[in-house]
Amino acid sequence: MKYDYNPFASDFDSIAVEDLAVLFSVAEGWYVEYKREVPNAGAIAKSMTAFANTYGGWIFYGVNERSKEDPVAGSLPGIANEEADGCLQRIRQAVANHAQPAPYFRAKALFGPLETMGLPEGRCVIVGQVPWGPEAPYIHKDGRIYRRVGDGSEPRPENDRFILDQLWSRSSKITQQYADWIGQELETSEAEEDAAYVRLFLIADFWGDHEPMKSVSLRRIREVMSDVSGSYTIPFDNVYQGSRGFISRQTANNDPEQLGLTWKLSRGFESEIIIPLSKFRRDNLQDLAPWLDGYDHADRFLQLCQNQRYLLPTIIDLNILLHVLLGVTRIQTQLAKEFGWTGPIYAKMEIAGVWRTVPFFDAPHVLDEYEKHGIALGLNDKVVLHRGIGQESFVELPGPNSDGNDDGHRVMMAIRLFLPIAMALGVSTGIDPDGDGTDAADSISSFLHAGGRAIEVQKNRADLA
């Protein structure tokens, strides 16, 4: 069970020096610790790991408790302003160097004067907030596991076997919840059982150890999802609220009852995105030509199929995929701003419906690879990228850039999603092991140009269907 105790009426980022007045009625104990000075590194890490191993809590440097009998804040002598930066750095280094793993925490200085509280000018109080730690136990450098106990003002080493087992099981419970979510089969109709799609899972606050996400209204979600300004847009025209969050679907020019581009978004900023892939088969190679009309290299691809005796191939057209992923990361970047999330995003991907399929990219370097080494053929119906359930098995996508370069950020995210999918299907990504082919930058450019042609090809197919 997680606890989100906060002695203040506002979140951490909004706490001001005036808010410290509440501490005169807040006692040391499970969630709070007062220190007159910033102690040595070992003591800092002891307090931080103890909070992370228990229920989380707050530590205040520059505060005296009133008495042992009444352990609320009694005075705020503070810490010299010129020492604040050094103290904050010392706290960060202490946690990094004296705890394994290092628990997540935040710290900042609140500067006086605050005459009503006795905090003089030129002095500050340093506030540290440590959430409940999901990767427990957090082990101190001295080899001990510390916890907060009752109304004690100091952490105590833990020896109880049951408590230690509970600490060890924290992270496994969270990762198993993700595994159960991702492992659920996508519900489809009988007619869609053979459909091909990419299923993308995006998780923001992986361990749930940050402050709760901001609340976002349905109206605002609709505005973000339907935005068509800028490049690489994938507007969702059907957006509504479900029991677990928001559902967004692309139904324009599609059968609304069939599997289409779908985004399921939870209020905790977790997403499941279903990206259908164009999959088709005809009675002969010549009948496939109209379905590839508009691509630059379709004739060469069909000739390669014939030369390698793929006379009735089932084709997966992947040319639009990078464009869609760019649209996904564009929306994801905007949603991060709405939810107030600035950290990394963790992704897991699944490709389904690709058994005995041939992937087609309208890119010369892909066809060069096919000609030289043979056409790639899907040997599994479902491919899960980066197997496992731990955090290390997810693709870590970078958080927003501090310089505000949203375009560069979302392109990087899209490429990090796209390349593993392409490689899993046997498609050359331009990283040539022989050293005599195209480079990665040229191949990405080639995929982007192919995606532009795919948009027109899809329009042509609508007339064929």
Side-chain angles (χ1 to χ4, degrees):
M1 181 177 181
K2 292 189 292 183
Y3 296 80
D4 297 310
Y5 173 77
N6 186 345
F8 304 104
S10 53
D11 60 29
F12 182 87
D13 291 332
S14 303
I15 297 170
V17 66
E18 295 81 8
D19 296 319
L20 294 174
V22 73
L23 300 183
F24 286 153
S25 60
V26 174
E28 275 192 323
W30 286 107
Y31 306 104
V32 174
E33 182 174 313
Y34 297 126
K35 293 291 185 185
R36 172 63 182 83
E37 302 284 351
V38 178
N40 61 48
I44 293 170
K46 185 187 296 186
S47 296
M48 294 290 191
T49 57
F51 277 128
N53 282 330
T54 316
Y55 306 128
W58 298 71
I59 185 165
F60 300 90
Y61 300 106
V63 177
N64 276 333
E65 63 179 274
R66 183 176 298 168
S67 66
K68 293 299 181 184
E69 294 74 24
D70 187 16
V72 298
S75 63
L76 276 65
I79 293 166
N81 285 357
E82 59 270 20
E83 297 178 10
D85 287 343
C87 288
L88 289 169
Q89 182 65 18
R90 183 158 28 122
I91 292 168
R92 286 189 286 268
Q93 291 178 345
V95 175
N97 297 332
H98 288 73
Q100 184 62 37
Y104 172 79
F105 73 97
R106 291 184 293 179
K108 66 178 181 179
L110 299 177
F111 296 95
L114 184 61
E115 295 180 0
T116 57
M117 303 296 298
L119 181 64
E121 185 173 359
R123 310 287 287 184
C124 68
V125 170
I126 292 178
V127 181
Q129 188 258 333
V130 189
W132 171 95
E135 294 184 281
Y138 298 90
I139 304 173
H140 193 274
K141 190 176 182 179
D142 65 10
R144 297 180 180 180
I145 297 170
Y146 291 95
R147 295 179 69 243
R148 303 291 297 182
V149 178
D151 59 356
S153 62
E154 292 293 329
R156 299 181 188 176
E158 183 57 66
N159 299 309
D160 185 275
R161 179 67 189 189
F162 174 77
I163 297 297
L164 292 175
D165 287 344
Q166 292 293 102
L167 291 175
W168 282 110
S169 68
R170 278 190 190 178
S171 61
S172 61
K173 290 178 181 177
I174 293 173
T175 54
Q176 187 59 52
Q177 288 175 356
Y178 290 136
D180 293 343
W181 173 42
I182 294 169
Q184 290 178 348
E185 292 292 328
L186 181 66
E187 295 185 31
T188 58
S189 66
E190 291 184 9
E192 297 166 336
E193 288 181 352
D194 195 40
Y197 56 85
V198 170
R199 200 171 172 207
L200 173 62
F201 299 88
L202 300 175
I203 300 169
D205 188 2
F206 192 93
W207 295 115
D209 56 357
H210 292 63
E211 289 188 349
M213 299 289 175
K214 293 180 180 178
S215 178
V216 185
S217 69
L218 175 59
R219 178 190 61 79
R220 186 61 187 136
I221 293 294
R222 284 173 170 158
E223 290 173 350
V224 172
M225 290 293 184
S226 62
D227 184 15
V228 294
S229 61
S231 57
Y232 303 117
T233 60
I234 50 169
F236 291 85
D237 54 297
N238 181 208
V239 183
Y240 53 95
Q241 194 160 299
S243 60
R244 298 182 180 179
F246 306 97
I247 310 295
S248 302
R249 301 175 64 234
Q250 255 190 17
T251 58
N253 302 318
N254 298 313
D255 183 344
E257 295 188 59
Q258 297 300 311
L259 180 67
L261 184 60
T262 304
W263 193 314
K264 303 176 184 178
L265 173 66
S266 78
R267 294 176 180 83
F269 198 24
E270 295 172 353
S271 296
E272 177 187 354
I273 305 164
I274 299 99
I275 306 171
L277 301 175
S278 296
K279 177 180 177 180
F280 44 85
R281 178 187 177 98
R282 292 297 177 267
D283 293 334
N284 55 64
L285 286 174
Q286 289 71 32
D287 289 344
L288 284 173
W291 292 83
L292 300 177
D293 185 34
Y295 286 124
D296 288 352
H297 308 284
D299 291 342
R300 183 186 177 194
F301 171 69
L302 293 175
Q303 187 62 51
L304 286 172
C305 288
Q306 181 171 325
N307 294 346
Q308 297 181 31
R309 301 185 64 189
Y310 286 89
L311 303 181
L312 296 174
T314 301
I315 308 298
I316 296 288
D317 185 350
L318 296 169
N319 288 286
I320 198 69
L321 181 58
L322 181 53
H323 272 234
V324 173
L325 290 174
L326 281 164
V328 166
T329 57
R330 180 180 186 274
I331 292 174
Q332 179 74 8
T333 300
Q334 183 58 46
L335 288 174
K337 296 178 181 177
E338 301 297 328
F339 281 93
W341 181 254
T342 59
I345 300 292
Y346 295 89
K348 180 84 77 171
M349 292 166 283
E350 171 188 290
I351 313 166
V354 293
W355 182 75
R356 295 294 192 270
T357 61
V358 172
F360 170 58
F361 269 112
D362 194 42
H365 76 276
V366 174
L367 300 182
D368 289 345
E369 185 83 4
Y370 283 179
E371 186 170 9
K372 185 176 181 180
H373 300 290
I375 293 174
L377 181 69
L379 300 180
N380 300 96
D381 185 64
K382 182 181 293 186
V383 180
V384 178
L385 305 184
H386 305 284
R387 290 185 177 275
I389 66 173
Q391 186 183 39
E392 70 282 354
S393 70
F394 287 71
V395 177
E396 182 176 342
L397 304 175
N401 292 332
S402 58
D403 61 7
N405 183 10
D406 287 347
D407 288 344
H409 172 247
R410 64 186 180 87
V411 168
M412 183 183 297
M413 290 176 66
I415 291 173
R416 294 193 67 177
L417 294 173
F418 172 78
L419 291 180
I421 296 172
M423 287 189 289
L425 295 174
V427 175
S428 171
T429 60
I431 305 172
D432 186 5
D434 299 329
D436 56 0
T438 184
D439 61 26
D442 288 341
S443 72
I444 293 298
S445 177
S446 184
F447 289 138
L448 285 172
H449 288 306
R453 295 190 289 273
I455 295 173
E456 296 303 316
V457 171
Q458 289 189 333
K459 294 178 182 177
N460 296 336
R461 286 183 192 154
D463 298 331
L464 294 173

